[in-house]
Amino acid sequence: MESTSGSRISARTLLSLAGELRDDSAAYEALAERIRLLIVDGRIPVGTRLPSERELAVQSGRSRTTIVAAYQSLRDSGHVLSRQGSGSRVTLPRLGRQDYRPSGEGENFGVDFARAVPPPVEGLAEIIADASSSMPLALAAPGFDLLGTLSLRSAIADRYAARGLPTTADQIIVTMGAQHAISLTAHTLLTRSDVVLVESPTYPHAYEAMRRAGARLIATPVTTGGWEIDHLVETIERMRPALAYLIPDFHNPTGASMRPEDRVRVTEAARAAGTILVVDETTADLSIDRPWDDGPFARHARGASPFSGSGVVTVGSLSKAAWAGLRIGWIRADAALIRRFVQARPAGDLGTPQIEQLLAERIVRALPELLPRRREQMRRHRDALHEALSLHLPEWQVPLPDGGLSMWVHLAQSASSAMTSLSEARGLALVAGPKFSIDGSLERFLRVPFTAPIADLEAGTRMLADAWAQLSARDVRSMADTRLPEMV
Ligand SMILES: Cc1ncc(COP(=O)(O)O)c(C=O)c1O
């Protein structure tokens, strides 16, 4: 598929991203809504020039009046600017407008199924209260640092060691969450046009960070059943990507976990190809009832090379295990790589607040007591959502993941974007399936997180069912989901 990140999007690409549209008197508003969604979740970048109204009318087989009205609606909502001579360009409305939200922000909605952010783990308030007397200690120093305090890095290293991966404090850099860790990794290790392998679907902000760092992305499929491991290994062998980004435990969004024997194959293929594996373990602590635990992925890495060390860079975070409001994450890698991250970091930020690190150290040390509570909480949420979806949307294929934070639901139609628009109109924030792919595929899938309060999981499911009923009544033609093409 043609890339949409250039300065112009063709009518054909725009229509394929927008998906199937109904054919009635309000067709213009449906088209405008769909384009708005693509703009808001970043699939059509700001500044992109849209096709001319005439070109879009010809290509879509719709009347010029419909397209003119759709573009007018986009201008009215502040998503498009049209200027004589330079056509119509994508823009973003002013912040604070009622109908505008940055992608993934659910605050303005009645129910938020856009973010997979769990509530604070039970027991966190007590740890904060207990730590408050030591907070003034942070005032003695500048209060932030590039590497992370020795006491927090030691606590993180001890936890890796307890989970079967000997680690020293000089193998850890503390970051402001896992997203920061991914972005720092991408910007430090990648050079423009490097090939990066990601899963499809994957966590979208990770591939966005790789793209920003200049990467050319290729993908390997993952389903709720797991990885096509031969495809993954052969792609590493054939394409020799500079970096491969994987979420091997309770993968976001499918919930799948990679089998231990496959981890060995992937690590060996990456080592032979000179590919650095960036292993995101943000969700690794979120087992609900997975019957096995293989410990940290990097246990499988052997030996060392001068540039990539053991070849595995592990990303971790307290966001899912404890609370995302802390903004504490880390990278575990060979000490020489950690020094490169420290050296590169000031171009992006000047360090992690030490007040948060003081708190984080106590939380990391308390994880063995906190995690069972998190698991029990997520079990209740998962089961409530599964029951509600099975009851109200029996035609959907709803998996029962054994951990993680979301369900990767298979819809009976290519209707994920349409469902997102219709749900938003009802006050339910969603992220459409194609946002989780690098090429706009996956229209038949929807990620439904089970992190919201249980009453919201039930209310949101009723909104989904209501939107689905409206959609089914519109007789959306089912389109075959195209097999994922490799994009190099
Ligand atoms: C797989 C994965 N990686 C990274 C992140 C970002 O986490 P953080 O809040 O620590 O930046 C998330 C959050 O949803 C995630 O699911």
Side-chain angles (χ1 to χ4, degrees), residues 170-184:
D170 64 353
Q171 287 176 274
I172 305 288
I173 175 173
V174 176
T175 60
M176 292 182 288
Q179 179 58 32
H180 177 214
I182 295 165
S183 163
L184 181 61

Side-chain angles (χ1 to χ4, degrees), residues 359-478:
L359 206 49
E361 183 203 338
R362 289 175 183 240
I363 296 168
V364 170
R365 298 230 181 258
L367 280 175
E369 297 97 70
L370 296 175
L371 284 175
R373 300 181 202 169
R374 173 61 99 212
R375 288 177 189 146
E376 268 323 298
Q377 180 188 40
M378 285 300 112
R379 179 197 305 277
R380 289 194 298 276
H381 283 237
R382 177 199 63 178
D383 292 349
L385 178 64
H386 193 264
E387 198 184 317
L389 287 172
S390 308
L391 179 71
H392 293 288
L393 288 148
E395 60 272 56
W396 288 6
Q397 282 171 34
V398 181
L400 188 70
D402 57 11
L405 299 170
S406 59
M407 291 177 193
W408 185 238
V409 170
H410 188 260
L411 309 174
Q413 300 174 346
S414 294
S416 196
S417 296
M419 278 299 289
T420 303
S421 298
L422 291 172
S423 299
E424 291 197 345
R426 288 166 169 75
L428 171 67
L430 281 181
V431 179
K435 176 75 183 171
F436 296 85
S437 79
I438 58 171
D439 61 359
S441 60
L442 305 175
E443 258 298 346
R444 284 170 178 260
F445 293 88
L446 191 61
R447 182 187 74 162
V448 188
F450 43 86
T451 44
I454 286 179
D456 282 10
L457 295 177
E458 289 162 353
T461 301
R462 285 194 295 274
M463 292 174 180
L464 282 175
D466 192 40
W468 185 248
Q470 186 184 343
L471 189 73
S472 305
R474 284 181 184 179
D475 185 29
V476 170
R477 199 181 48 174
S478 176

Side-chain angles (χ1 to χ4, degrees), residues 116 177-179 182 203 245 247 252 280 282-283 317 319-320 324 327:
Q179 179 58 32
I182 295 165
Y203 167 61
Y245 169 79
I247 314 170
N252 181 3
D280 186 343
T282 300
T283 48
S317 172
S319 288
K320 309 299 180 188
R327 309 308 308 145

Side-chain angles (χ1 to χ4, degrees), residues 145-149 153 169-170 172-175 338 342 345 357:
D145 63 82
L146 289 169
L147 179 60
T149 61
R153 288 183 294 117
D170 64 353
I172 305 288
I173 175 173
V174 176
T175 60
I338 295 293
V342 172
R345 183 170 177 173
Q357 295 189 61

Side-chain angles (χ1 to χ4, degrees), residues 127-139:
I127 294 179
I128 295 176
D130 206 47
S132 59
S133 59
S134 61
M135 296 289 182
L137 291 178
L139 301 176

Side-chain angles (χ1 to χ4, degrees), residues 211-387:
R211 226 176 229 162
R212 281 254 161 132
R216 290 184 295 146
L217 301 178
I218 55 172
T220 191
V222 184
T223 64
T224 49
W227 286 252
E228 279 179 30
I229 211 70
D230 288 340
H231 184 278
L232 170 53
V233 166
E234 282 159 22
T235 308
I236 291 175
E237 287 168 353
R238 197 161 37 86
M239 301 298 297
R240 298 178 162 268
L243 203 145
Y245 169 79
L246 304 173
I247 314 170
D249 291 280
F250 313 112
H251 174 263
N252 181 3
T254 63
S257 292
M258 192 184 288
R259 297 181 313 171
E261 59 270 33
D262 292 342
R263 298 175 189 222
V264 177
R265 278 188 69 193
V266 171
T267 322
E268 280 174 4
R271 185 170 164 67
T275 298
I276 299 178
L277 292 177
V278 178
V279 177
D280 186 343
E281 294 188 339
T282 300
T283 48
D285 285 324
L286 300 173
S287 174
I288 296 175
D289 42 25
R290 190 178 68 179
W292 52 270
D293 179 16
D294 190 48
F297 188 103
R299 285 193 322 113
H300 299 290
R302 286 186 286 117
S305 78
F307 295 109
S308 57
S310 66
V312 178
V313 169
T314 305
V315 169
S317 172
L318 287 182
S319 288
K320 309 299 180 188
W323 187 45
L326 265 180
R327 309 308 308 145
I328 290 286
W330 58 86
I331 303 172
R332 179 200 182 275
D334 298 85
L337 261 187
I338 295 293
R339 290 196 293 274
R340 281 179 67 189
F341 292 132
V342 172
Q343 186 193 41
R345 183 170 177 173
D349 76 287
L350 297 180
T352 315
Q354 285 174 355
I355 285 204
E356 275 154 72
Q357 295 189 61
L358 267 168
L359 206 49
E361 183 203 338
R362 289 175 183 240
I363 296 168
V364 170
R365 298 230 181 258
L367 280 175
E369 297 97 70
L370 296 175
L371 284 175
R373 300 181 202 169
R374 173 61 99 212
R375 288 177 189 146
E376 268 323 298
Q377 180 188 40
M378 285 300 112
R379 179 197 305 277
R380 289 194 298 276
H381 283 237
R382 177 199 63 178
D383 292 349
L385 178 64
H386 193 264
E387 198 184 317

Side-chain angles (χ1 to χ4, degrees), residues 157-167 293-296 298-300 332:
D158 290 351
R159 186 162 157 73
Y160 277 112
R163 295 182 61 231
L165 180 65
T167 303
D293 179 16
D294 190 48
R299 285 193 322 113
H300 299 290
R332 179 200 182 275

